[in-house]
Amino acid sequence: MNTRWITYFALVALMLSAQVSAEELAPNLDSLTEFASLIRWSGVFMSLIVIIVAWGMLKFTQNIVESIGNQFAQRRMLVQKLHSFFQFFVYMSAGITVFMLSFRVDDRVLTLIGGTLAVSVGFAMKDLAASFIAGLTVMIDRPFQVGDRVTFEGHYGDIIAIGLRSVRMCTLTDDIITIPNSKFLSDVVVSGNYGALDMQVVIPFYVALDQDLSLATDIIREAAASSRYIHLPKPVVVLVKQDISDSYFAIKLTLKAYVLDIKYEKLFETDITLRVMQEFKKQDINPPTIMQSTRISRS
């Protein structure tokens, strides 16, 4: 008898819960039906075509930019800047076109989108909105440009794209770093060339205190001036300074010269370093002696 009553009450509870679930689901189904009525299904297919065409245009122009940059190095910076603005135009145009094709624009759509954007920006989309606004600021204020070699938060590399949400940097180890635009509003960015093709490269050399400094300076200056990567219209400077540390006393010779293209920075540095060290060896110019400290242990 008890078992039958328990089964009966369980069935009643199950029916009541099913009824409540159906009542709660009904408004959601109505909202989905209303939202589906706002979609222009005939335009969804055209929207897909617009997205594919926009993607194809971006890929095609990217290949053209790379080809022009490889063939005409002097025009590479200008072409990359124009491509960045073209990308921004394509993104905005494709987004507006897809929206107009996919939805029946009336008061209901505007009300729905307005409410959705207000909630999204206020909560889930606040970081994305901040990055979008920061992207516009970066495009207008231009703390750096596409093609610049910059240092940011310990990363060093070339800016390859400035988008609506983020900036992409290619490091010298060929890693791609994606940085949200909002970070550039408060953090410091160091640009080595700021839109120019050439860039200053600083290379230090160390010699002992008793070496011929005039000869060493001439060797460094000549190695820089005869490098195939040097940008000769800019000056070649060698600075001399004493460098004292716990382990050695030395003379620091710092070369400041300009490489003709930022992509040759490390090749320029390697070329000069190898030839300077070889000439130092021929001329008997010695590096500083490392002083070894002796510790006396107590027994």
Side-chain angles (χ1 to χ4, degrees):
M1 186 69 179
N2 292 335
T3 305
R4 283 188 298 173
W5 278 106
I6 292 174
T7 305
Y8 173 75
F9 284 120
L11 290 174
V12 171
L14 182 61
M15 292 174 63
L16 290 175
S17 63
Q19 183 179 0
V20 172
S21 299
E23 292 176 353
E24 293 178 350
L25 186 61
N28 295 330
L29 292 176
D30 293 339
S31 299
L32 291 175
T33 303
E34 183 179 359
F35 179 77
S37 66
L38 300 177
I39 299 176
R40 185 182 289 115
W41 298 104
S42 59
V44 173
F45 178 73
M46 292 299 298
S47 298
L48 294 176
I49 295 178
V50 170
I51 294 174
I52 294 174
V53 170
W55 177 81
M57 290 176 60
L58 293 176
K59 294 294 291 184
F60 178 71
T61 54
Q62 179 66 35
N63 293 333
I64 292 178
V65 168
E66 292 178 357
S67 177
I68 294 176
N70 293 331
Q71 296 180 12
F72 306 98
Q74 296 296 331
R75 303 296 181 186
R76 190 177 75 245
M77 293 295 183
L78 176 61
V79 173
Q80 288 178 338
K81 295 172 191 174
L82 295 176
H83 183 247
S84 179
F85 284 102
F86 177 74
Q87 279 184 319
F88 180 82
F89 174 76
V90 170
Y91 287 142
M92 295 297 295
S93 301
I96 294 174
T97 303
V98 168
F99 172 75
M100 298 299 293
L101 289 174
S102 301
F103 292 94
R104 296 182 177 89
V105 181
D106 54 19
D107 293 339
R108 293 184 302 166
V109 174
L110 296 177
T111 302
L112 177 63
I113 293 176
T116 302
L117 287 178
V119 175
S120 299
V121 172
F123 295 96
M125 302 293 288
K126 61 180 181 179
D127 293 334
L128 182 59
S131 294
F132 177 80
I133 296 173
L136 296 178
T137 304
V138 169
M139 295 288 289
I140 296 173
D141 187 54
R142 294 170 59 183
F144 51 83
Q145 306 169 44
V146 174
D148 281 3
R149 182 155 289 188
V150 304
T151 302
F152 181 76
E153 290 188 345
H155 302 293
Y156 183 64
D158 300 330
I159 300 296
I160 59 174
I162 300 176
L164 297 178
R165 188 193 67 85
S166 61
V167 170
R168 284 186 175 84
M169 175 195 294
C170 181
T171 67
L172 301 188
T173 56
D174 208 23
D175 295 326
I176 303 298
I177 300 176
T178 301
I179 307 169
N181 290 331
S182 57
K183 285 186 170 292
F184 294 107
L185 296 181
S186 57
D187 294 342
V188 176
V189 184
V190 179
S191 178
N193 57 324
Y194 196 65
L197 194 62
D198 59 271
M199 183 183 71
Q200 186 182 86
V201 178
V202 178
I203 308 174
F205 296 95
Y206 295 88
V207 299
L209 296 176
D210 57 349
Q211 303 302 300
D212 190 341
L213 299 182
S214 297
L215 178 60
T217 302
D218 292 339
I219 290 173
I220 295 173
R221 186 180 290 108
E222 182 179 352
S226 60
S227 175
R228 59 188 296 189
Y229 306 109
I230 188 71
H231 186 58
L232 281 179
K234 296 291 183 70
V236 178
V237 179
V238 180
L239 303 178
V240 181
K241 176 186 176 182
Q242 285 188 342
D243 194 347
I244 302 174
S245 71
D246 294 336
S247 58
Y248 65 87
F249 299 118
I251 297 297
K252 181 180 180 181
L253 306 174
T254 304
L255 169 67
K256 292 186 175 183
Y258 287 79
V259 64
L260 60 88
D261 194 323
I262 59 172
K263 66 181 181 180
Y264 298 134
E265 176 192 357
K266 294 304 177 182
L267 292 176
F268 180 55
E269 184 177 344
T270 301
D271 178 45
I272 292 177
T273 301
L274 287 176
R275 290 196 287 122
V276 167
M277 299 309 295
Q278 289 174 0
E279 195 64 24
F280 277 3
K281 188 175 181 180
K282 289 181 182 178
Q283 299 296 333
D284 226 8
I285 297 178
N286 300 316
T289 302
I290 305 298
M291 296 181 296
Q292 297 182 355
S293 58
T294 303
R295 294 183 178 180
I296 300 176
S297 58
R298 295 181 180 180
S299 56

